[in-house]
Amino acid sequence: MKIGLFIPCFMNELYPDICKATYKLLTNIEIEYPLEQTCCGQPMANSGCSKDIETLAKNFVKSFKKYDYIVAPSGSCVSMVKEHYAPFFDNDKDYNHVKASVYEVCEFLHDVIGIDNLNLYVSFPYNVGLHNSCHGHRVLKLATASELNIPYNSKLKNLLNKVNDINIVELKREDECCGFGGTFSVAEEAISVAMGKDRIKDHLDSNAQIMTGADMSCLMHMDGIINRNKEPIKVMHIVEILAGVRP
């Protein structure tokens, strides 16, 4: 099994420690970081720049087609590759391989490595609230969407339950959008901030000390609101908790 590590561009620049934590979780497997990788094109897609998406999509497939699996710490970027590249490839075999092989890191650990095969040996003695980001939740199905009215399951909670001493708090609205939405947060700033404040309040009302999730873009949005308003809660990406990082 050979893995290509796909690191979203904004995380590479702003959150290198989370990228390192992702690598740490996968060090027991043959893993490479292809240096020719660039942005997946999601910001361009949000802005309607289809020509730029095509250039980036073709570079992505060229960079990662040689790997058995492609793993990234971002549900939205993985969703971009899986759901929005097809118009540029006309049933191309390399893209079809990449589409079938790209995984968000928690999805990979849960479904490919197997939840029963994970021995994390880490402790995290904090009250933790889990934010389910929209792309991961509804596109990648990292957890059951509440509107489906079927038995609930959460791959992220299943992974967090492997961590010693953690207390996962119950939120009132587990799958509500945080309001980030890429360029939506720029075009509709007031709505975006109001939605972010609602998510933060739900965590605070549930006595969460840490807010976590699988998409740093959403967590970044809420972390900005938290810092601006000096709220008593911290934000951590889920891979940091699984890798044994403390706040």
Side-chain angles (χ1 to χ4, degrees):
M1 183 190 299
K2 191 173 184 180
I3 295 176
L5 182 59
F6 163 33
I7 296 297
C9 52
F10 81 99
M11 294 184 68
N12 184 61
E13 298 298 326
L14 301 176
Y15 300 103
D17 289 343
I18 299 172
C19 305
K20 293 174 185 176
T22 305
Y23 181 85
K24 180 181 177 181
L25 283 175
L26 301 170
T27 48
N28 290 331
I29 308 167
E30 185 180 358
I31 184 169
E32 291 181 359
Y33 175 76
L35 294 176
E36 63 272 21
Q37 67 177 285
T38 60
C39 176
C40 69
Q42 185 179 183
M44 294 74 179
N46 289 339
S47 305
C49 302
S50 58
K51 184 177 180 180
D52 294 324
I53 303 170
E54 181 174 5
T55 301
L56 294 167
K58 289 183 175 177
N59 181 72
F60 186 95
V61 171
K62 181 181 177 182
S63 301
F64 284 99
K65 64 183 182 180
K66 63 184 177 181
Y67 296 104
D68 299 314
Y69 294 97
I70 304 143
V71 179
S74 169
S76 62
C77 292
V78 169
S79 298
M80 178 67 197
V81 175
K82 292 180 77 72
E83 301 295 325
H84 299 290
Y85 277 12
F88 308 114
F89 288 99
D90 191 26
N91 201 32
D92 177 79
K93 67 178 180 63
D94 288 336
Y95 170 60
N96 289 339
H97 167 70
V98 166
K99 179 179 179 179
S101 305
V102 64
Y103 285 81
E104 186 275 327
V105 62
C106 294
E107 179 186 28
F108 179 80
L109 292 171
H110 191 281
D111 294 353
V112 179
I113 299 302
I115 189 76
D116 293 332
N117 297 321
L118 286 177
N119 296 302
L120 298 175
Y121 304 114
V122 296
S123 171
F124 196 78
Y126 300 92
N127 296 337
V128 176
L130 175 62
H131 173 67
N132 292 300
S133 298
C134 298
H135 284 93
H137 197 61
R138 291 183 168 82
V139 178
L140 301 181
K141 297 179 173 55
L142 297 181
T144 308
S146 59
E147 66 268 16
L148 297 180
N149 292 315
I150 60 176
Y152 183 78
N153 184 45
S154 169
K155 296 177 184 180
L156 303 184
K157 281 189 176 181
N158 293 343
L159 289 170
L160 289 172
N161 281 326
K162 302 285 287 187
V163 175
N164 294 325
D165 306 315
I166 194 169
N167 178 39
I168 304 172
V169 302
E170 184 175 345
L171 304 173
K172 292 180 181 177
R173 296 180 66 88
E174 288 205 344
D175 55 2
E176 186 173 72
C177 177
C178 72
F180 177 62
T183 52
F184 175 82
S185 63
V186 178
E188 301 289 350
E189 176 189 356
I191 298 173
S192 176
V193 170
M195 294 172 71
K197 286 181 176 179
D198 284 347
R199 294 310 307 126
I200 294 164
K201 184 177 186 301
D202 194 1
H203 283 74
L204 291 172
D205 289 347
S206 300
N207 296 315
Q209 299 166 284
I210 305 293
M211 178 192 294
T212 194
D215 249 308
M216 199 58 217
S217 53
C218 299
L219 297 176
M220 176 178 66
H221 168 59
M222 290 184 284
D223 194 36
I225 299 171
I226 288 167
N227 290 334
R228 185 181 183 89
N229 295 318
K230 297 180 173 57
E231 301 286 8
I233 188 171
K234 293 184 179 297
V235 163
M236 293 180 69
H237 194 285
I238 188 171
V239 297
E240 295 180 285
I241 296 174
L242 299 178
V245 177
R246 291 291 183 94

